[in-house]
Amino acid sequence: MTNPRHVPVLLDRVVALLAPALDHADAVLVDATLGLGGHSEAVLASCELARVVGIDRDEQALELSRERLAPYGDRFTGVHAVYDEIPDVLADLGLSEVDAVLFDLGVSSMQLDLPERGFAYAVDAPLDMRMDSGSGPTAADVLNTYEAADLARILKQYGEERLARRIADAIVRERAKEPFTTSGRLVALLYEVIPAPARRTGGHPAKRTFQALRMEVNDELRVLERAIPAAIDAIGVGGRVVVESYHSLEDRMVKRAFTAASASDVPPDLPFVPEGHEPALRLVTRGAEQADAAEIALNPRAASVRLRAIERVRPREGAA
């Protein structure tokens, strides 16, 4: 069973970045990747004037978080949705804007801890990997139906797998004998296909393939591409968007969106910024912050984290 007291990555720093935006009556945080509710619990405990709207596509995570956060009563609202649906969630709750939005991207500890969800390569389990287990194609569907070129593309793009084409060809060859249904057979194939020297670096040989399949099954990059602008648009003046990424493509997407949102529309050779042309947002973090050695020792998942934050300093266009 999953550990409900799992400590999220960079928890104290995340709360410190959110707190200034939540230090007033009726402040609202959207925890867009609720998971087990660790971030939400820390915010509710530290920011006593704030309430939290927690979004997750995983019904199981929502149920556990509702139990965990029940002591906070109506200061917590759980919503079953995907995080690019932030505008719809806020409209349904009658909220025109919020004070902060948090994303902790990637797979949650609960999903990794439950073998039947198929996210972990350490145990033999059905190849599912859906964050919302009630809808959409599974990892097995991807493995058994995608053309070799498409499999190679996602392995290379999402998994940064150098042997993507070799692995894709092997998958297509093996599925012709029998469709893939469980993770154990896929892991065994990867051990056969990836040469021993390549297996000695970069962690478990299945790590990159499983990451790529998970990102494809859950459409993670396209969802994020829609979600970050929606989050930026949702915050009022003084509001903040805080994002923890664990993949270079995710971090690049967040960096690009934050840089564009905080840029002035004045030509770069103009010696001053005319009134009314100041950027509407400012970067709170200098580049991407990373975990220190002490945190990584306690929580290995922190090794790849990149933390960024942005704050709105001027009203949205058309906002009162």
Side-chain angles (χ1 to χ4, degrees):
M1 182 59 188
T2 185
N3 177 7
R5 297 303 164 194
H6 169 79
V7 178
V9 172
L10 293 176
L11 179 61
D12 291 344
R13 179 58 178 151
V14 166
V15 173
L17 286 168
L18 293 169
L22 300 172
D23 189 24
H24 61 87
D26 300 320
V28 178
L29 164 69
V30 174
D31 185 345
T33 50
L34 178 64
L36 287 174
H39 284 112
S40 288
E41 183 177 56
V43 167
L44 289 165
S46 300
C47 307
E48 296 181 359
L49 299 175
R51 65 188 182 99
V52 172
V53 175
I55 296 174
D56 210 295
R57 64 171 84 180
D58 189 328
E59 291 269 29
Q60 203 168 5
L62 269 174
E63 183 180 342
L64 289 168
S65 291
R66 286 189 177 113
E67 291 176 13
R68 177 177 189 168
L69 302 175
Y72 294 96
D74 60 7
R75 290 180 60 205
F76 173 74
T77 303
V79 180
H80 182 230
V82 183
Y83 49 73
D84 64 340
E85 298 173 315
I86 287 173
D88 296 330
V89 171
L90 298 187
D92 289 345
L93 295 173
L95 295 168
S96 58
E97 63 181 33
V98 296
D99 301 282
V101 183
L102 169 65
F103 296 89
D104 182 16
L105 302 172
V107 66
S108 78
S109 59
M110 183 206 74
Q111 289 161 338
L112 286 173
D113 287 346
L114 295 174
E116 65 269 21
R117 300 297 296 272
F119 288 96
Y121 40 77
V123 293
D124 191 21
L127 279 163
D128 192 316
M129 298 195 195
R130 292 173 298 173
M131 290 180 178
D132 182 347
S133 56
S135 65
T138 66
D141 294 328
V142 172
L143 287 171
N144 293 322
T145 63
Y146 278 32
E147 299 290 338
D150 290 326
L151 285 171
R153 173 184 55 79
I154 66 168
L155 292 175
K156 185 174 182 180
Q157 182 179 7
Y158 298 161
E160 299 174 297
E161 173 57 72
R162 289 173 296 173
L163 300 172
R165 186 68 204 213
R166 183 190 294 194
I167 293 169
D169 288 342
I171 289 169
V172 170
R173 189 167 58 247
E174 285 301 310
R175 78 188 188 195
K177 303 173 186 174
E178 183 184 347
F180 284 90
T181 58
T182 64
S183 56
R185 183 170 170 229
L186 176 59
V187 171
L189 173 72
L190 293 168
Y191 268 102
E192 289 177 15
V193 173
I194 299 173
R199 295 202 302 265
R200 296 191 191 107
T201 59
H204 195 287
K207 176 182 176 182
R208 292 180 293 277
T209 294
F210 273 62
Q211 174 178 276
L213 287 170
R214 187 204 81 217
M215 293 180 76
E216 175 69 12
V217 165
N218 297 290
D219 201 21
E220 291 178 40
L221 286 183
R222 283 184 285 269
V223 169
L224 183 63
E225 190 172 25
R226 296 185 292 267
I228 296 298
I232 290 171
D233 193 51
I235 54 172
V237 174
R240 292 184 170 187
V241 178
V242 176
V243 185
E244 290 182 281
S245 306
Y246 301 86
H247 189 289
S248 59
L249 290 175
E250 292 173 339
D251 182 55
R252 207 173 305 147
M253 196 175 290
V254 174
K255 178 184 178 181
R256 194 162 55 238
F258 280 13
T259 299
S262 59
S264 171
D265 60 1
V266 172
D269 57 350
L270 201 67
F272 67 96
V273 178
E275 186 176 350
H277 288 267
E278 300 90 345
L281 295 104
R282 72 173 185 92
L283 299 175
V284 180
T285 51
R286 291 174 61 87
E289 295 184 5
Q290 301 180 43
D292 61 22
E295 172 136 9
I296 294 170
L298 289 171
N299 188 352
R301 183 173 178 247
S304 59
V305 73
R306 299 294 183 270
L307 174 64
R308 297 182 186 269
I310 196 168
E311 178 182 60
R312 181 173 296 282
V313 293
R314 294 172 60 81
R316 292 167 292 162
E317 286 187 23

